Amino acid sequence: MGVGTEPVIKPSRRAARLRAAGRVLIVLAGLVPVVAGFLLFVRTYDVTVAYRTAPVCGTSAAGAGADCLRLESGRVVKKKVDTDRENDLSSYKLVVVRESAGGDEYDVGEPFFQEVEVGTTIDVGVWKGEVVQISYRGHRAVKPQLPWLPVLGVALLIGVGSAAVVHGLHRSREGLRDVVQVGSIVFTVGSFAGSLVLIGAFQWSFPVTITVAVLAWLSTVAACAVVGRLSFGPARAGA
């Protein structure tokens, strides 16, 4: 009997090993575009916040022909407070008129808002023709930058790669297409929106930004894997 059962057991184990190895290869292949997406994310972040470490125009540190941060004078012409009474939240805004252009509205923190009055002259930082920040007596407010095209590239790379990773982590063939399709949409949309917020709006320090981005990706991968296993896993299939 042992001889009769041997051919049945060995191919089953061999097939299981091959399937496991195949899933590992799919995960590794998916990680390639994911890593490329994160590298593009880092590059986009560096370009977007380059003004922070750039020399101020007109100083000795600003070499001839080098990119520099031009400081212009701006005058506060209006202060606004928008209150969300339902959630007990307030947002503070300043309308500032530049010396070389018209007025624009900036979101600022409450300390910045309280420090200035209508008529106060503040510094307006201009980087490559675009306003990137306003500042006054140690207070600073960033104007959101929206690098649409690079962020779209980040989203596509991470979306495609993550779909492959989720494919490799899904052990059952049942529901595989649904898991991959939903995962690709979640990762692409999430990467696009998240990158715009982290790079364009928040502009936190690099360690914080990259940590949040990586943790968000890992959490989403884990969530997709768990949902896929609970919805289409072997236990579900046999129910």
Side-chain angles (χ1 to χ4, degrees):
M1 180 176 292
V3 176
T5 57
E6 189 71 15
V8 177
I9 296 176
K10 283 190 174 182
S12 176
R13 291 177 178 176
R14 186 180 301 113
R17 294 192 191 99
L18 290 175
R19 286 196 297 269
R23 290 198 301 270
V24 171
L25 290 177
I26 292 174
V27 170
L28 293 177
L31 287 176
V32 174
V34 169
V35 171
F38 272 102
L39 291 176
L40 181 56
F41 176 91
V42 172
R43 172 61 180 166
T44 304
Y45 173 88
D46 289 340
V47 171
T48 304
V49 302
Y51 69 89
R52 289 184 177 180
T53 56
V56 176
C57 298
T59 63
S60 58
D67 291 329
C68 58
L69 181 68
R70 187 174 77 253
L71 295 182
E72 296 184 1
S73 295
R75 182 168 55 88
V76 178
V77 296
K78 188 175 183 180
K79 300 175 65 176
K80 299 168 55 179
V81 180
D82 293 333
T83 303
D84 183 352
R85 299 186 184 279
E86 184 177 345
N87 298 310
D88 194 24
L89 297 173
S90 297
S91 59
Y92 302 89
K93 304 177 186 295
L94 298 176
V95 178
V96 179
V97 175
R98 294 162 54 194
E99 59 186 13
S100 61
D104 204 354
E105 188 174 273
Y106 302 88
D107 290 308
V108 299
E110 185 178 3
F112 195 155
F113 184 85
Q114 299 295 345
E115 185 74 19
V116 301
E117 301 293 341
V118 172
T120 300
T121 299
I122 65 176
D123 290 326
V124 179
V126 180
W127 175 252
K128 297 183 178 180
E130 299 290 335
V131 174
V132 290
Q133 68 177 26
I134 59 174
S135 57
Y136 180 74
R137 293 184 178 178
H139 301 288
R140 187 174 71 96
V142 172
K143 185 176 182 181
Q145 309 295 308
L146 301 176
W148 298 101
L149 288 179
V151 166
L152 180 59
V154 171
L156 291 176
L157 285 169
I158 292 181
V160 170
S162 300
V165 171
V166 171
H167 181 290
L169 293 176
H170 191 65
R171 295 184 178 180
S172 173
R173 293 183 179 181
E174 183 181 354
L176 179 59
R177 177 182 296 179
D178 293 336
V179 171
V180 172
Q181 287 179 344
V182 173
S184 62
I185 294 173
V186 169
F187 280 104
T188 302
V189 175
S191 299
F192 183 77
S195 297
L196 279 180
V197 171
L198 288 175
I199 297 175
F202 291 165
Q203 294 188 12
W204 292 327
S205 65
F206 177 73
V208 174
T209 299
I210 194 64
T211 298
V212 170
V214 171
L215 288 179
W217 182 80
L218 290 174
S219 300
T220 308
V221 169
C224 287
V226 170
V227 170
R229 186 166 301 179
L230 291 177
S231 301
F232 303 105
R236 179 72 175 179

